[in-house]
Every structure is written in C-alpha cells, then in structure tokens.
C-alpha cells in the first residue's frame, strides 16, 4: 500500500514518493521533531508478516547502523507503525551511478574519484565485518557535490566469512535472474564464488567493485552476455569482454588494478578494500617520473637483449608508481645539506626498506600486525598496504628491477625457522619467495636461503645459504631452478649478508662478518672496503653506503665513492646520518634522489621467570630485572640468588656491572683501556671470574681475571681463548684454549687437560663436577657432547639437528637444558639419569615477532630462570639531498 502525502509514520510526515525497489518503497519525509528532511524506506505491506523478508529488512538496518562513514548512506532511525516497518535515512540529492552511466563511460577523472570513494566506503564496512554482497551501479549514489554513497545493504550480512551466496540467488533484487535473453540486476556483478553458491567474504565485494569500475571506464559490463546463464559462465571462465589496454586514455597503472580486482580466485585479488583504495589513489596521482606505456610493452626477453628500455617496463600489480623512471642529466645531490623525513611512527619495528624503480614507493618490514609482514607505502606518506598477511615471518623484501615482483624471505612452508643468530646481526633462516608487487600468491624460489637481491636484468637472484656460522653466496634463476655458488677466495670468516651486484653487473658487494667486501662477479679474491655492515650501492653504483660500526661511529650511515673501473673506493667516506640509535639497511632510489633507512633501537635487558627446574615448568609471569637502553650480554647470579653480575656494551667497550635487589646497577670495572666479558660467580659467592682484553681490539687473546664480588682487588689468573667457568669445588677453573679444554688449579697454577672435550665454543661443567659439556660443530649446526672430567670419547647428548645453544643443568644434574635458535628452551636427561636417550622436551613458550633470548640459566638457588631478552624497535626515515649544482 502506497503512502500518501501528509500521512505519518511516528514523528515522520510523508512528503512524496521517491521510488521503489525489491526491498521496499522510498519516500521523502520530514522529521517533525528536528525539522529536517529525510528519506524513509518502507517494507511492502504484504511482506511485513513474512519472517524472512522482515529479517532481511532488519538486517539491512543493523548493517547500516553499525557503520559511520562519509561514503555510506547514514541510517537515522528504525521503527514500526501498525503493519508498516520502516527505516529513516539521510536524504540524498543527485543520481545513482546507473543513471550517471546512461550516457556511456565516465570521464576518467570522475571514474577514478568515484572508485576511490567507493573503495573507502567498502573498507569502512569490511572493517566492521560487513560485506555488501550486492554492489552494482544501482546501489551507488552520487550527490550533487560529487560525494559517493553506497546504498542498500539489504543483502549485507555481518560475519561474512560464513555467508552463503546461495541465499542471494533468491533475493528480490535479482529480478529477472532466470529470464531468458535478458541480464538484469545483480547477476552481471556477481563474483565467481557467488555464482557457484559458495561462502563469500569481503573479497567478493572487491570483484563486484571491479565490475562496476570496468563499466565506469568502458561503458560496458565486463562479462555481459545474451543470457544470464552465459553471463555467469563468463564470470567463471572468461576474461573481461573488452581488453582494458584498448581503452583510449586509460592510465596504464589502472589496468593492473582492474585486473587485480577481477581475478577469479579470491586469494589473487586485493586482500582489502583499503589496499585497493591506496592503489587507485596512487594510480590516479600525476607523476612526472613514470613514462607512458606504448601500446605493447617490450617483452622481458627483448629488454635483456640490450634494448635498454627498463624505463618503459611497468610494474605488474596495479601500481604505475612502480614503473622505472628515466635518469636524465640534472642537479648534483648535496648530501651535506640533506633533509630528513620520518615516514613511520608505529611503536614497534619497521625496517629493511627497498625502493620501487621510480623511487616513489618502498616496501619494508614491520611487526605492527603482530608478526613480521611486508608493507608497501609511498615515501610521501599515506596508508601502508600489508602485502603478505601470513602468520609466518616475512622479511628482507627486494623489488625486481622492472617493479613487477618482490622477492622476500619467509618461513611459511615449515622450512628453516627465521631467527636472530646474535645481537647486532640480521635475521637468518627461511626460504626465498617471489610475489606480485602488490601482494598475492607467492612462489618459492629457494629452499634455505636469505638476503635475496636481483641481478640488474632481473633474470636471476643472488642469495645467501648455509648457517650464520658458515655461509655461501649463490645465484639462481628468478623463475626458479638449480642454483650455483659464487667462488669467493680466502673466505676465512664466510658469514655473508646482503649480496648486491653493481649496476653494470661487474662487481659483487656484500657484508662478511662485520666488514664490507667487494669481489668480481665471476668470483676470486675479495677486497675489504670498510669495517661495517648493511652495504648498499648508491645511484649507478658510483658509490657505496654502509653502517659504520667502528667505535665512536654509533652505527650511522656513511657513503664513499666507488670506481667501477678499478673495483675499489675512489675517495674518502663521509657521514650521512647522526642517528639517535642504529641507522641500518640504507636503500637508495634508482635516480639517487632519496635514501631510505631504519633508525633502530636494540636493547638487551635481564629478565627472570619463576621456574621449577626439576619439573621443567614455568611457575609465573616474567619480571624485568633491568630496564632502559641496555645491551647486556653474559651474566651470572650469586649463590644466594639475590644478585646478578653482568657484562654490558656501552660505547666502544664492554664492562661488568652488578645489580642487587631494589637497587640500581653498579659498575664494577671501568678501566677504559680494557673490555671485560663472561662473568662467573664463585661457588662461595666471594669472587667473580671474568675475561679481559685490550679495548678497541678484537675479542681474542683473552686473559682470565678474578676480583672480589664488589669489584675490588682484580688480579690476573691465566690466558684463555673463550669463556671460562668455576668448577663446583671453587678451587679449579674450566678453561678453553684453542680446540682443547683444561682444568686450571688456582693454588698451584697447573693445567690438566680434559681429553675429548672441545674448546672451540662454550664449555660447561655439571653440578657434580664429573662431566664437561661442549658445544661442538657438526656440519653447519651445533650439537652438545658430554665427556667425563677425566677424559674419554665424546658422547653426543643433543643432536646437531637441534642446533643447540647455551647448555645448563638443573641443580640435581638430572636435566640438561639448552635453547634452539635463541628462542625457546628444551631439555634432555642429564648425567644423574645416566644420559638416558630421549627426545628433547620443550619447557618454555616465549613468543614475539622478534623473539631473542640470550644465555638462559637457572639461578643458583634453583628457583628462577634467568636470561637476557632482546627487543628491537625502529622507524623508517627518508633522506633527500639538497641541490648544489648542475650535473656535468
């Protein structure tokens, strides 16, 4: 029953009819209380008593009421008046998008503007858990001031992940669904999963959005056929009816965006409407750097054959801002007067930036969603797109030279776990994957590889494999296949990170340990360029950038000119940053106009957990023992369990400190001529054993010292090659020298060898003093072996497959504890159980995106688990040079 002018629904006076649809009639009305004009939607009288229809009507009201967004129609009220159910909404003046399209395709500026507003409206709904499920031009309204409003959430359903699209096929909005020879209503805009009657989520709206956007720019529906059945078949199987590339004047970046929306499989589309809006905003933005595409871009093979047209290759995934710019002669960058912009401000970690070819966008790693993910963001600011959205760790992104893809490292396939090998070193582990530049399905390229970087022509990837103790640099086709190691001579350290080929493909730059080296791309003997880390090529490989970790340089970024002819530095280094923390991971845009890096704050602080060492159970919450910007390494607790002595890096040296309950830490050693490490409290609590070496020298040729526990009376004892420890009787020391282990008698000064024990890494004694446990290398991993103190054949008690670090015993000696990958702690039966064979048992459940636990041990009273915990925060900064003079 139609309502007449002057009739009332509660406080609302009907003024005139506006229209009707499958879900009801719409009237102009006046709110007599507030004196405003509104729109009222009324459910048809004969359906009011229909429970399903009424539920759908109320569902629409609830869906809209849950939203408050400028691009979604606002709901003011809902009510019933006798047999009439109604909803009160804002009154819009303008036309539907269907009416706007009556004259054909829209001007591109209008189309992209409307599309961005629609995407933002959908994002607002999706973030409330609401999927529209019936997006089409009829349900989009354009107001007179060009504001886009999404209408009719009559088919929307909260909890859309379990929504069944089959219910939609019975909706009144799909009138004519089976009418022969005619396509009407929703059918032309359905997603493939809706056509199949499958469950839908927010990505179904993104497909429908793509269909609407296609129609806005072409004037045609992408899958329109003569019958509804043929249209649905086309949605499932066919490409859009009209090739997007043939649309005159269509911005090239918009083409991959549309294709990304219209992917048949949901996982291949944009994964959020907000990411879609970002891509469209970027595609619509004017750019003087990105050149126009020719009608047909050159093939990758043609580019590799030497046409030199990398500047014409456009990024694959909806981003013209990923296109490579042409470099032209112009002003010389003046880095001495550079400006600095902070790009990210999240409380967690953002780092490892990599530039798109045009230099306007970076991909980087952040933990803002709880684990390490790869994000895309313009350097001018704006929203960031989460490209990976995977519960695994995703790190070390690298843009391909043509901007089509991003290589990255992930442990998503249950391969090698990503972990921090040591403080100050980057992450290792994982496999190498390649994904489209705006996210989507990734393919694995290398198993057990990290630090990927592309060759200049994009045909191959360089990467590092092995363990952090012994690695190799290899190259693999970017499409996948067999890899080969690069022959690098004199690799005595071979802890490689960040391999990078020069722009001309002639030189290989990389980090080895804590020094920067370069070698011919064919292999050979490397040349050391600098002491530092995180190497990168400058623009055109005419310079190198790196983080200088020498004492007094505060891990800041430095630049040095590089000779491509001679393969060496051609001038002095100069500082680029004076950061508040460590400035890491510098990346330079292709044209040299920008440098991105992460300013990182790395801390290591003491923590403790109530712990049952015999039962292997955590008994309470963790508690901080120190706080602040500390870098605490090794430590030991006093026999009474009340105090802790620890070493801490500050400036160029490391010294020993002591912390007592409810008191601030006190420095025990402070001679600037020396550094100290590896403190170990004597069994009687009176003295502390420690290692000392000359400051500003490598940590080698250690000498052992003993001092009183208050820091007084330090005295030299003997030489060592690593960390020494007290024997349980307090009269002897267990010390490593070279490959061997010795007992050292403090009274006589005599040394007694422990045959079979390995002194190359850490050594420990069990509480009975009868067994020595050593970390021993087996292949590229660490096992734990036990030897009687009198010597004998080593017995492997923890296999190398566990790559065991930091063994320690329960007080009874029944259990040997160790940790894997500096994360959680496991245990196996100890000597008091005759080294009974058993699968290692996990006893802790530490968590965190960047978990790092150093030197876990049991307090001397056996009641607490002590350890240092590493934490890392950082933000991305963009450095822009001033302009000094014309380029010659």
């Amino acid at each position: 029953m139609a309502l007449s002018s002057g009739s009332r629904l509660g406080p609302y006076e009907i003024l005139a009819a506006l229209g009707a649809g499958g879900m009801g009639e719409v009237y102009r009305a006046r709110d007599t209380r507030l004196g405003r004009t509104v729109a009222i939607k009324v459910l048809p009288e004969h359906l009011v008593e229909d429970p399903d229809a009424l539920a759908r009507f109320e569902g629409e009201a609830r869906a809209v009421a849950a939203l408050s967004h400028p691009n979604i129609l606002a709901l003011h009220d809902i009510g019933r008046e006798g047999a009439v159910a109604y909803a009160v909404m804002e009154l819009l003046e303008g036309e539907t998008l269907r009416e706007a399209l009556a004259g054909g395709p829209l001007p591109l500026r209008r189309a992209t503007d409307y599309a961005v507003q629609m995407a933002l409206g959908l994002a607002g709904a999706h973030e409330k858990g609401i999927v529209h499920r019936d997006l089409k031009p009829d349900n989009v309204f354009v107001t007179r001031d060009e504001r886009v409003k999404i209408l009719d959430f009559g088919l929307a359903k909260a909890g859309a992940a379990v929504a069944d699209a089959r219910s939609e096929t019975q909706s009144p909005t799909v009138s004519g669904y089976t009418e022969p020879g005619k396509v009407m209503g929703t059918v032309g805009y359905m997603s493939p999963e809706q056509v199949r009657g499958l469950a839908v989520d927010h990505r179904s709206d993104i497909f429908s959005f793509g269909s609407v956007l296609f129609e806005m720019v072409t004037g045609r529906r992408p899958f329109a056929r003569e019958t509804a059945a043929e249209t649905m078949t086309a949605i499932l199987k066919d490409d859009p009816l009209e090739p997007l590339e043939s649309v005159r004047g269509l911005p090239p970046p918009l083409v991959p965006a549309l294709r990304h929306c219209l992917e048949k499989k949901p996982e291949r589309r944009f994964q959020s409407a907000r990411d879609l809006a970002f891509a469209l905003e970027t595609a619509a933005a004017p750019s003087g750097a990105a050149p126009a595409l020719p009608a047909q871009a050159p093939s990758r093979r043609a580019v590799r054959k030497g046409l030199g047209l990398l500047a014409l290759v456009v990024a694959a995934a909806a981003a013209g801002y990923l296109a490579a710019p042409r470099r032209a002669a112009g002003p010389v960058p003046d880095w001495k007067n550079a400006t600095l912009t902070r790009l990210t401000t999240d409380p967690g970690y953002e780092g490892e930036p990599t530039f798109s070819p045009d230099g306007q966008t970076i991909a980087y790693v952040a933990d803002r969603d709880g684990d390490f993910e790869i994000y895309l963001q313009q350097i001018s600011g704006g929203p960031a797109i989460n490209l990976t959205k995977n519960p695994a760790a995703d790190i070390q992104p690298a843009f391909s030279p043509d901007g089509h893809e991003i290589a990255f490292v992930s442990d998503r396939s249950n391969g090698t776990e990503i972990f921090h090998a040591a403080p100050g070193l980057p992450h290792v582990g994982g496999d190498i994957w390649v994904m489209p530049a705006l996210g989507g399905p990734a393919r694995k390229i290398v198993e057990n590889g990290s630090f990927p970087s592309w060759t200049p022509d994009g045909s191959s990837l360089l990467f590092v494999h092995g363990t952090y103790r012994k690695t190799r640099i290899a190259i693999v086709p970017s499409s996948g296949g067999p890899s080969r190691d690069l022959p690098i001579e004199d690799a005595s350290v071979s802890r490689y990170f960040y391999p990078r080929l020069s722009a001309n493909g002639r030189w290989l730059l990389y980090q080895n340990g804590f020094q920067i080296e370069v070698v011919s791309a064919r292999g050979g003997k490397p040349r050391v360029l600098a002491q530092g880390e995180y190497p990168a090529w400058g623009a055109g490989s005419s310079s190198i950038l790196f983080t200088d970790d020498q004492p007094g340089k505060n891990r800041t970024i430095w630049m040095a000119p590089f000779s491509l002819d001679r393969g060496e530095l051609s001038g002095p280094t100069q500082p680029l940053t004076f950061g508040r923390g460590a400035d890491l991971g510098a990346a330079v845009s292709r044209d040299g106009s920008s440098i991105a890096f992460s300013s990182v704050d790395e801390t290591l602080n003491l923590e403790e957990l109530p712990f049952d060492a015999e039962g292997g159970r955590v008994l309470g919450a963790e508690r901080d023992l120190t706080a602040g910007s500390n870098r605490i390494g090794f430590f030991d607790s006093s026999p009474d369990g009340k105090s802790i002595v620890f070493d801490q890096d500050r400036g160029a040296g490391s010294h020993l400190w002591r912390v007592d309950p409810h008191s601030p830490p006190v420095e025990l050693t402070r001679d600037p001529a020396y550094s100290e490490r590896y403190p170990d409290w004597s069994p009687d609590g009176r003295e502390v054993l420690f290692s000392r070496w000359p400051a500003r020298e490598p940590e080698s040729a250690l000498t052992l010292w003993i001092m009183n526990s208050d820091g007084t009376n330090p005295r030299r004892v003997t030489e060592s090659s690593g960390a020494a420890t007290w024997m349980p009787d307090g009269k002897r020391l267990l010390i490593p020298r070279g490959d061997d282990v010795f007992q050292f008698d403090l009274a006589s000064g005599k040394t007694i060898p422990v045959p079979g024990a390995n002194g190359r890494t850490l050594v420990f004694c069990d509480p009975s003093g009868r067994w020595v446990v050593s970390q021993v290398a087996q292949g590229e991993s660490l096992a734990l072996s036990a030897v009687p103190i009198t010597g004998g054949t080593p017995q492997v008690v923890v296999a190398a497959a566990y790559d065991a670090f930091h063994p320690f015993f329960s007080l009874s000696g029944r259990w040997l504890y160790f940790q894997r990958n500096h994360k959680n702690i496991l245990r196996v039966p100890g000597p008091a159980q005759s080294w009974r064979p058993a699968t290692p048992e996990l006893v802790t459940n530490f968590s965190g995106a960047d978990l790092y636990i150093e030197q876990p041990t049991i307090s001397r009273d056996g009641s607490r688990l002590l350890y240092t915990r590493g934490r890392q925060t950082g933000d991305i900064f963009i450095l822009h040079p001033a302009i000094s003079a014309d380029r010659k």
Side-chain angles (χ1 to χ4, degrees), residues 287-293 303 308-316 319-327 355-360 399-404 456 589-591:
S287 173
L293 267 182
V303 173
L309 299 179
L310 281 180
L312 297 179
V313 181
V314 177
Y321 55 91
L322 306 185
R326 298 181 185 271
R327 273 193 87 194
F355 272 101
S356 62
D358 79 336
Q360 299 304 303
F399 259 111
S400 64
D402 61 9
H404 284 233
S589 63
R590 184 176 293 181
D591 65 359

Side-chain angles (χ1 to χ4, degrees), residues 26 256 356 567 669 694:
V26 182
S356 62
T669 63

Side-chain angles (χ1 to χ4, degrees), residues 601-604 607 622 624 850 852 869-873:
D601 185 20
E602 298 173 311
T603 63
L604 279 161
E607 295 183 4
E622 59 196 48
D624 294 338
D850 193 25
Y852 181 82
R869 183 167 192 153
R871 299 183 189 275
Q872 196 174 54
T873 59

Side-chain angles (χ1 to χ4, degrees), residues 212-556:
V212 174
L213 178 55
F214 186 100
E215 188 171 353
M216 284 197 290
V217 298
T218 67
R220 305 179 64 180
R221 301 185 191 183
F223 305 103
R225 301 296 189 270
E226 291 191 4
T227 68
E230 290 172 322
T231 297
M232 288 188 287
T233 300
I235 289 172
L236 294 175
K237 297 182 178 180
D238 296 348
D239 290 331
L241 189 63
E242 181 171 6
L244 289 165
E245 293 82 357
S246 67
V247 180
R248 184 178 298 274
L250 191 64
L254 203 55
V255 175
L258 266 167
R259 293 201 181 282
H260 206 32
C261 291
L262 295 174
E263 291 282 0
K264 306 299 184 188
K265 295 182 178 180
E267 63 270 19
R268 296 183 64 88
R269 300 174 203 147
F270 286 99
Q271 296 301 291
S272 83
R274 196 164 297 281
D275 293 353
L276 169 58
F278 172 66
L280 292 173
E281 286 178 325
T282 307
S287 173
L293 267 182
Q296 288 187 338
S299 67
R300 179 174 286 185
R301 178 177 297 177
V303 173
R304 291 179 189 161
K305 280 188 173 182
L307 294 180
L309 299 179
L310 281 180
L312 297 179
V313 181
V314 177
Y321 55 91
L322 306 185
R326 298 181 185 271
R327 273 193 87 194
V332 175
D334 174 14
W335 292 107
K336 292 182 180 179
N337 297 295
T339 58
L340 190 64
T341 302
R342 186 174 190 152
L343 182 65
T344 65
T345 58
D346 292 86
Y349 170 80
E350 291 90 32
E352 300 180 346
T354 175
F355 272 101
S356 62
D358 79 336
Q360 299 304 303
T361 304
I362 60 169
Y364 61 88
V365 174
D367 61 2
R368 59 173 64 104
D369 285 340
D371 59 348
F372 282 135
E373 304 279 9
I374 296 172
Y375 291 80
L376 192 70
Q377 189 168 358
Q378 290 182 285
I379 64 171
S380 59
I385 300 175
N386 185 339
L387 298 181
T388 46
K389 294 185 178 177
N390 192 286
D394 300 303
I395 61 173
Q396 298 169 7
F399 259 111
S400 64
D402 61 9
H404 284 233
E405 297 177 307
I406 295 175
F408 65 102
V409 173
S410 179
D411 54 12
R412 62 181 58 192
S413 63
N414 298 318
T416 307
E417 183 182 35
I418 290 174
F419 66 100
H420 246 143
L425 289 178
H427 289 89
V428 295
D431 307 317
I432 295 176
W433 299 70
V434 171
M435 66 178 170
L438 279 183
R443 66 184 192 280
K444 188 192 295 187
I445 301 297
V446 172
E447 198 165 297
N448 183 23
S450 52
F451 307 102
S453 68
W454 298 79
T455 56
D457 65 357
S459 64
S460 302
L461 285 164
L462 296 170
F463 67 97
V464 171
H465 66 111
T467 71
Y468 89 99
R469 288 176 293 277
K470 183 175 179 59
T471 58
R472 295 170 295 283
I473 298 174
I475 189 169
V476 65
S478 56
S479 58
S483 63
R484 62 179 176 86
D485 291 348
L486 301 182
I488 301 175
E489 298 176 9
D490 298 332
S492 56
V493 178
S494 69
R495 287 187 180 179
Y496 297 131
F497 311 102
Y498 306 110
R500 307 280 190 265
L501 271 183
S502 59
N504 63 1
R506 183 177 175 185
W507 301 104
L508 175 63
L509 180 72
Y510 57 88
Q511 176 183 339
N512 185 10
F514 288 97
Q515 63 188 24
I516 309 301
E517 297 180 357
V518 69
V519 70
S520 168
R522 297 187 297 272
K525 188 172 182 178
R527 177 183 287 117
V528 176
L529 299 181
Q531 296 299 312
E533 51 192 329
Y534 296 90
W537 290 109
S541 302
S542 60
S543 61
I544 67 164
L545 287 80
F546 63 95
T547 296
D548 195 328
D549 63 356
Q550 294 183 91
K553 298 298 178 65
N554 199 33
R555 298 184 82 190
T556 51

